[in-house]
Amino acid sequence: LAKTTQPISMDSYEGQEVNITCSHNNIATNDYITWYQQFPSQGPRFIIQGYKTKVTNEVASLFIPADRKSSTLSLPRVSLSDTAVYYCLVGLISNFGNEKLTFGTGTRLTIIP
Amino acid sequence: DAGVIQSPRHEVTEMGQEVTLRCKPISGHNSLFWYRQTMMRGLELLIYFNNNVPIDDSGMPEDRFSAKMPNASFSTLKIQPSEPRDSAVYFCASSSGQGNTEAFFGQGTRLTVV
């Protein structure tokens, strides 16, 4: 799997938009980019996944530039409940289910009232 | 579906004892993952199964750890003998494995070895 690099921590105020960038310089052609969120004392939870350009769902947006060597998770108008660790994963989606989900160190996002 | 179910939620055991952690994946999912999480090492993938077959166990720390998946609805992670450094939260996750890397995690088992 391609190695990922994220900031260790970030702080933001409530109501602001938060952008967390992940670098994955050796991403392979068939790799997808996936983001997970983990609250204290819980297992990680899938947020969003994409291959290129922009993906948006009810929780977040994912921006992927043309070279795909980085990606940015965007959380609109954050609230205190968005305080969590956010993980960026890069890997192959296999039709045979042999994907290996390896988590990096993640970004600890703290929302300030 | 109730999601991925792990048991027990908490386990305290003495060093040298055998510990068995249990996981019931989401029905219909054919990939199952065991992770260990500590403050020092983060979230580590121990082993994953596809269609009940272990695909990659390179993350299993040593021979004291073993995992089985006797059928599609049940998996165990066993530590024998347990050591204080095994204290961690152990997560099980499952995914459909059909062109999708969305994995669903259980609530975890907090293991304390004293």
Side-chain angles (χ1 to χ4, degrees):
Chain A
L1 290 178
K3 180 178 170 57
T4 60
T5 303
Q6 305 174 233
I8 293 176
S9 64
M10 293 179 65
D11 295 338
S12 180
Y13 288 98
E14 272 192 296
Q16 295 195 333
E17 178 183 80
V18 172
N19 296 310
I20 306 174
T21 297
C22 178
S23 297
H24 27 80
N25 291 319
N26 59 340
I27 188 170
T29 302
N30 294 331
D31 284 345
Y32 278 67
I33 300 156
T34 311
W35 285 80
Y36 281 77
Q37 173 191 56
Q38 185 178 25
F39 297 115
S41 302
Q42 294 185 27
R45 182 176 71 109
F46 174 92
I47 301 177
I48 197 166
Q49 182 178 79
Y51 183 80
K52 62 180 179 180
T53 62
K54 176 183 176 182
V55 179
T56 298
N57 62 22
E58 65 278 7
V59 176
S61 294
L62 178 60
F63 298 93
I64 305 168
D67 67 4
R68 304 198 330 118
K69 293 184 182 300
S70 67
S71 59
T72 299
L73 175 72
S74 181
L75 304 173
R77 297 181 299 281
V78 293
S79 64
L80 295 177
S81 63
D82 292 314
T83 293
V85 179
Y86 292 82
Y87 295 95
C88 165
L89 284 74
V90 173
L92 172 68
I93 290 184
S94 165
N95 290 328
F96 301 100
N98 288 342
E99 71 279 9
K100 181 175 178 178
L101 299 181
T102 304
F103 288 75
T105 55
T107 297
R108 184 173 298 276
L109 174 65
T110 302
I111 305 302
I112 305 165
Chain B
D1 200 309
V4 176
I5 299 174
Q6 292 187 243
S7 63
R9 290 292 309 277
H10 302 274
E11 176 81 32
V12 180
T13 190
E14 292 186 345
M15 182 174 62
Q17 295 298 307
E18 176 180 295
V19 175
T20 299
L21 311 181
R22 298 173 176 79
C23 175
K24 182 180 187 305
I26 292 174
S27 178
H29 282 188
N30 60 11
S31 292
L32 183 138
F33 309 82
W34 280 102
Y35 291 87
R36 176 174 69 177
Q37 187 169 37
T38 61
M39 288 293 291
M40 291 297 295
R41 302 175 70 90
L43 199 57
E44 303 174 275
L45 176 63
L46 301 178
I47 185 171
Y48 79 99
F49 296 83
N50 182 249
N51 291 324
N52 312 337
V53 176
I55 302 300
D56 189 334
D57 65 354
S58 59
M60 296 286 262
E62 48 197 275
D63 291 346
R64 298 183 298 105
F65 285 69
S66 63
K68 294 182 179 179
M69 192 164 186
N71 57 61
S73 60
F74 184 66
S75 177
T76 60
L77 178 67
K78 184 179 294 185
I79 308 172
Q80 165 64 18
S82 59
E83 298 182 3
R85 60 190 168 125
D86 301 330
S87 297
V89 179
Y90 290 80
F91 288 105
C92 175
S94 71
S95 74
S96 64
Q98 296 169 1
N100 189 331
T101 57
E102 178 175 358
F104 296 82
F105 282 73
Q107 290 288 75
T109 295
R110 181 173 295 277
L111 174 65
T112 304
V113 184
V114 298

